[in-house]
């Protein structure tokens, strides 16, 4: 494998953030990825509940078979070692590929911190099991090599799941069908065919959507020592009861700080609003059957259930903490209340909304971690490079435009313009002759007949032009399809492949990546 890093599709904010613009970093407590900031964060006191948190994680991960490196990292966590953390919803069979790339980012950062700063940080992946956006995670895409197009594979596409995914029990038979479709779609992969039976056992031995996701991530990264944290666990929620209670008591302060901080940050960053929410509580409540955003009106908390006062809500929290969860405003806050974090690595949008939340951290006196943008990774195989070389294409933010230009140039150079001009000339003569015929004295009663006949001839000429252009395209179909394949594999629908395709499309068992270094540039992994 070869590695290339390129400046790609970075908006103005990301460019400013990457070069550590001080006018932006003040919204991140002036912390950046450098020796001084790392030392500052490492001096912070450790949460008192850290040992209890490690015990919960060990117990819950034990069911998936703890590896030696994972056990070592749980012990480090128990001792108060700080974490490098990132998270994501539980996508179908770990899809799309950027979920894997988030985890790879965590591992790269942990390695660099060990090598450059002599500190043993712990990689933690946070599964957002409380999320209820089923339509976002119930599908994946593969590139269909036979039909040379992107193909969507869904798990029960018409199913509505209004509850947290951590409560959803999947249909095992249907999940196996989806697995087979993905394996078939990914083509001749020895890795997948070798793992199929093991994945089927995972489907059979688990019950809930997030459990299966956990099992898959665990299997892929256990030897790297990845700690997997299920945010929707009942024991985790019990640990979080005092934190939820503080958020309930101070919901007004949190909301005011969020609104004020968001306005200040967005003006300085020159971006549109990232977090859109009308709630003033920023917490969810519900049951195993629904999930509702709380609001506060006239001294009562409103949800799908009967309105309750503060005491009633706290009693509900104590009885069923697993039915409470955070929205986008309070989730980062909860993360920092639970973990001793050194670095949070998130997507570009996450980095921006952490900036919008700076005032919330300040008001609640919760220190922020170092916030970094996760690595973006794209896979480029030998076939794609060969096609790009043939057509003089390079991976760049305007690559799709270049592909269209190349296709248009091919069509133009293989089109006989004189033939089309002759057809147009014939059409012009026919129109003139028919108009002369129609407008001759004494033929008024035949004008409709003459016009109809003229239109019939014009229609035939139009058909000739269309059919000729189609034949030209057919003669170039291999070249045109090759160009479409480049665009579709690297930037499907104008997005980086990692945001669309399933990670199993790319050869090799994750995380068999070469040695990587942290960067905000696009990392291109070229398969030899």
């Amino acid at each position: 494998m070869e590695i290339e890093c390129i400046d790609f599709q970075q908006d103005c904010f990301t460019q400013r953030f990457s070069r550590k613009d001080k006018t932006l970093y003040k919204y991140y407590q002036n912390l950046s990825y450098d020796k001084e900031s790392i030392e500052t964060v490492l001096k912070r006191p450790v949460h008192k509940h850290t040992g209890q948190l490690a015990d919960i994680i060990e117990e819950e991960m034990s069911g998936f078979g703890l590896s030696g490196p994972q056990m070592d990292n749980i012990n480090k966590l128990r001792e108060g070692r700080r974490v490098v953390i990132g998270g994501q919803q539980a996508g179908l069979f770990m899809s799309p590929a950027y979920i894997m790339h988030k985890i790879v980012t965590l591992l790269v950062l942990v390695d660099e911190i060990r090598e450059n700063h002599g500190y043993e940080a712990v990689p933690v992946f946070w599964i957002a099991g409380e999320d209820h956006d089923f339509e976002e995670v119930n599908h994946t895409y593969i590139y269909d090599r036979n039909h040379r197009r992107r193909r969507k594979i869904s798990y029960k596409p018409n199913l509505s799941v209004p509850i947290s995914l951590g409560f959803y029990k999947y249909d095992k038979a249907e999940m196996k069908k989806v697995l087979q479709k993905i394996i078939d779609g990914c083509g001749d992969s020895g890795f997948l065919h070798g793992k199929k039976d093991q994945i089927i056992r995972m489907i059979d031995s688990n019950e809930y959507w997030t459990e299966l996701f956990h099992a898959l991530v665990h299997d892929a990264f256990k030897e790297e020592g990845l700690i997997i944290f299920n945010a929707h666990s009942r024991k985790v929620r019990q640990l979080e009861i005092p934190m939820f209670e503080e958020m309930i008591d101070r919901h007004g302060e949190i909301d005011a700080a969020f609104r004020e901080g968001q306005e200040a940050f967005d003006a300085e960053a020159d971006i549109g609003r990232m977090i859109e929410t009308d709630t003033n509580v920023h917490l969810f409540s519900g049951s195993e059957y629904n999930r509702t955003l709380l609001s506060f009106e006239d001294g009562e908390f409103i949800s799908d259930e009967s309105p309750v006062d503060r005491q009633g809500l706290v009693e509900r929290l104590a009885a069923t903490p697993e039915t409470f969860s955070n929205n986008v405003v309070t989730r980062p806050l909860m993360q920092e209340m639970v973990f001793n974090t050194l670095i949070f690595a998130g997507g570009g949008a996450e980095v921006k909304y952490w900036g919008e939340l700076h005032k919330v951290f300040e008001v609640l006196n919760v220190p922020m971690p170092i916030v970094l943008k996760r690595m973006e990774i794209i896979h480029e195989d030998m076939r794609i490079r060969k096609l790009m070389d043939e057509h003089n294409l390079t991976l760049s933010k305007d690559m799709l435009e270049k592909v269209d230009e190349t296709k248009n140039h091919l069509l133009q150079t293989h089109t006989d313009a004189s033939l089309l001009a002759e057809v147009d000339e014939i059409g012009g003569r026919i129109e003139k002759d028919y108009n002369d015929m129609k407008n001759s004295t004494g033929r008024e009663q035949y004008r409709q007949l003459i016009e109809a006949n003229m239109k019939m001839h014009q229609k035939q000429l139009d058909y000739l032009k269309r059919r000729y252009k189609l034949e030209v395209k057919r003669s170039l179909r291999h070249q045109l399809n090759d160009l479409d394949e480049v665009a579709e594999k690297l930037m499907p629908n104008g997005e980086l492949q990692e945001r669309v395709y399933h990670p199993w499309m790319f050869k090799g068992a994750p995380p068999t990546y070469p040695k990587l270094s942290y960067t905000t540039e696009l990392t291109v992994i070229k398969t030899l």
Side-chain angles (χ1 to χ4, degrees), residues 129-144:
E130 74 277 12
D131 192 85
H132 62 278
D133 192 352
F134 186 65
E135 292 181 0
E136 187 174 341
V137 301
N138 72 342
H139 64 277
T140 187
Y141 291 91
I142 55 94
Y143 182 79
D144 186 333

Side-chain angles (χ1 to χ4, degrees), residues 53-315:
L53 173 65
D55 291 342
I56 293 172
I57 292 174
E58 179 180 356
E59 180 181 348
E60 297 198 340
M61 287 188 65
S62 293
F64 299 92
L66 282 168
S67 68
Q70 285 175 320
M71 194 65 240
D72 289 343
N73 277 334
I74 289 175
N75 288 330
K76 291 174 187 175
L77 181 70
R78 185 178 285 111
E79 294 165 3
R81 297 280 180 162
R82 296 195 171 271
V83 305
V84 176
I85 193 169
Q88 190 63 35
Q89 298 99 317
L92 179 66
F93 289 108
M94 302 185 295
S95 186
Y98 77 77
I99 293 177
M100 312 297 282
H101 300 162
K102 275 192 173 184
I103 297 173
V104 169
T105 302
L106 305 181
L107 300 175
V108 167
L109 288 168
V110 166
D111 285 345
E112 289 190 356
I113 292 164
R114 180 190 305 111
E115 293 172 5
N116 299 331
H117 303 280
Y119 185 81
E120 295 284 344
V122 177
V124 175
F125 183 69
W126 176 303
I127 300 176
E130 74 277 12
D131 192 85
H132 62 278
D133 192 352
F134 186 65
E135 292 181 0
E136 187 174 341
V137 301
N138 72 342
H139 64 277
T140 187
Y141 291 91
I142 55 94
Y143 182 79
D144 186 333
R145 292 186 298 176
N146 293 327
H147 298 91
R148 303 185 80 172
R149 63 178 177 84
R150 181 180 358 132
R151 182 158 66 89
K152 186 176 183 178
I153 299 174
S154 299
Y155 168 92
K156 295 192 173 183
N158 298 320
L159 177 67
S160 175
V161 179
I163 60 176
S164 296
L165 291 174
F167 286 133
Y168 174 63
K169 288 186 176 182
Y170 57 85
D171 181 327
K172 296 183 179 183
E174 183 66 22
M175 194 65 82
K176 291 174 187 176
K177 291 179 184 177
V178 173
L179 172 65
Q180 189 60 55
K181 289 178 182 178
I182 295 174
I183 291 176
D184 291 343
C186 288
D188 184 19
S189 169
F191 158 67
L192 277 182
H193 289 292
K195 297 289 282 188
K196 178 182 174 181
D197 289 344
Q198 183 183 0
I199 296 171
I200 288 175
R201 288 194 294 271
M202 292 180 193
I203 293 172
D204 286 332
S205 61
N206 292 286
E207 298 287 338
Y208 294 93
W209 185 277
T210 50
E211 284 181 344
L212 177 58
F213 179 83
H214 186 144
L216 290 162
V217 174
H218 177 94
D219 179 67
F221 292 99
K222 61 187 177 184
E223 296 307 321
E224 279 65 39
L226 181 70
I227 301 303
I228 304 171
F229 177 74
N230 181 5
H232 197 58
S233 153
R234 177 176 174 81
K235 290 185 178 180
V236 169
R237 293 305 189 204
Q238 287 176 326
L239 177 70
E240 294 172 342
I241 286 176
M243 305 159 204
F244 276 121
E245 191 167 341
E246 181 177 4
M247 292 176 186
I248 290 169
D249 289 340
R250 303 184 68 180
H251 72 271
E253 295 175 74
I254 292 173
D255 186 58
F258 158 59
R259 308 290 174 186
E260 179 186 347
Q262 182 181 55
E263 183 176 358
F265 175 79
D266 290 351
E268 179 63 58
D270 193 24
I271 61 172
R273 184 176 295 177
M274 297 302 299
I275 300 175
E276 296 281 0
T277 179
D278 296 326
T279 181
N280 55 6
V281 179
H282 304 293
L283 295 174
F284 284 95
S285 181
S287 68
E288 292 189 9
Y289 308 104
N290 62 27
R291 185 174 183 240
T292 307
L293 197 57
L294 290 169
S295 62
F296 186 77
E297 300 174 18
D298 301 324
E300 291 185 314
F301 291 91
I302 312 297
S303 69
D304 279 354
E305 300 181 37
S306 301
V308 293
D309 59 14
R310 183 265 178 197
Q311 185 59 35
L313 188 64
V314 170
E315 289 175 358

Side-chain angles (χ1 to χ4, degrees), residues 460-527:
Q460 287 297 313
L461 291 173
D462 288 340
Y463 170 78
L464 174 60
K465 288 171 65 177
R466 289 196 309 272
R467 185 57 188 259
Y468 172 70
K469 290 178 180 178
L470 178 61
E471 290 301 319
V472 172
K473 282 187 175 181
R474 284 179 175 173
S475 71
L476 296 169
R477 62 183 179 275
H478 292 300
Q479 296 98 312
L480 296 175
N481 286 341
D482 286 347
L483 287 163
D484 285 338
E485 181 177 345
V486 171
E488 194 62 30
K489 279 188 174 180
L490 296 180
M491 294 186 65
N493 204 31
E495 297 187 85
L496 288 176
Q497 65 177 205
E498 65 167 9
R499 302 196 64 83
V500 176
Y501 288 125
H502 197 285
W504 291 341
M505 266 190 53
F506 312 113
K507 301 299 183 183
T512 55
Y513 294 92
K515 178 70 174 177
L516 301 176
S517 298
Y518 174 74
T519 178
T520 57
E521 293 186 321
L522 175 64
T523 299
V524 184
I525 299 179
K526 300 181 178 183
T527 308

